[in-house]
């Protein structure tokens, strides 16, 4: 198993989170994907890799978005032959000590999502407005896309390698946080099983969030577009104007 950890200006957090991860799950590996961080995160990652063979680093030449970093990391992980590929943030929001919950659930799933919004999940140090925005955004996406996943934008995940091979990563174009919704829906549309397990999501203590207004806008625009296409196609199928559904090829336009 390998956990893909994208970084951009996470020098204050990276060594701390990698140490926690390797302590909590000693048999996992870590793939750091750094987008040319100007604060020296890439050099720090190289030092961690030199000190521990379980750590590997991929250096990218520019900051190109969360989705692009994960896609790069997934390709490297699949080429390396890992059977399980995970995602987690570098800022401590996802607790490595809870990774065992996702790993245990993978026995009966193709994708496991560490969810803030299922019973037993929680968010620490968010105000009421931010909680409401996240809950309502996930509800909007869930209803519009017609899926039962309660935390579509969650970024603490484990994929079977075969799942990533089945969902056509080469056609993914989403780069922001809607990337997470995109891959979850693709997994469902491929007839694979998605399971959510509760986690405690902690707001970062050090460094700055990478979530910007433009990223949120891109996510809303893409999810709305996907949802409208899905609803249109459902109507056309009922009218006999489309064949029985295969996986929705409109995702990631």
């Amino acid at each position: 198993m390998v956990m893909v950890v994208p970084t951009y200006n996470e020098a204050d957090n990276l060594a701390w989170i990698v140490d926690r991860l390797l302590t909590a799950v000693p048999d996992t590996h870590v793939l750091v994907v750094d987008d040319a961080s100007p604060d020296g995160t890439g050099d720090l990652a190289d030092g961690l890799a030199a000190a521990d063979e379980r750590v590997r680093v991929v250096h990218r030449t520019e900051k190109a978005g969360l989705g692009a970093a994960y896609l790069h990391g997934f390709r490297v992980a699949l080429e390396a032959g890992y059977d399980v590929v995970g995602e987690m943030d570098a800022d401590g929001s996802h607790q490595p000590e809870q990774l065992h919950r996702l790993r245990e659930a993978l026995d009966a799933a193709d994708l496991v999502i560490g969810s803030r919004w299922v019973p037993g999940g929680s968010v620490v140090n968010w105000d009421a407005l931010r909680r409401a925005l996240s809950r309502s955004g996930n509800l909007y996406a869930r209803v519009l896309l017609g899926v039962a996943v309660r935390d579509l934008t969650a970024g603490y995940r484990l994929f079977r390698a075969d799942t990533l091979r089945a969902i056509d990563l080469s056609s993914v174009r989403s780069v922001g946080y809607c990337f997470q919704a995109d891959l979850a829906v693709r997994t469902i549309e491929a007839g694979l099983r998605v399971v959510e397990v509760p986690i405690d999501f902690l707001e970062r203590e050090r460094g700055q969030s990478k979530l910007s207004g433009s990223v949120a806008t891109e996510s809303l625009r893409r999810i709305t577009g996907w949802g409208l296409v899905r609803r249109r196609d459902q109507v056309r199928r009922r009218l006999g104007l489309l064949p029985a559904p295969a996986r929705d090829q409109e995702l990631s336009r």
Side-chain angles (χ1 to χ4, degrees), residues 65-82:
L66 182 71
Y70 270 129
L71 288 172
H72 194 151
F74 290 166
R75 286 192 293 269
V76 171
L78 291 174
E79 289 170 0
Y82 289 101

Side-chain angles (χ1 to χ4, degrees), residues 32 42 87 108 124 167 193 205 210 213 226 231-232 238:
V32 179
E87 305 179 14
V124 180
I167 60 178
R193 187 177 182 194
E205 297 179 1
K210 309 306 185 296
W226 299 339
R231 296 307 184 199
R232 178 203 68 191
R238 291 193 186 102

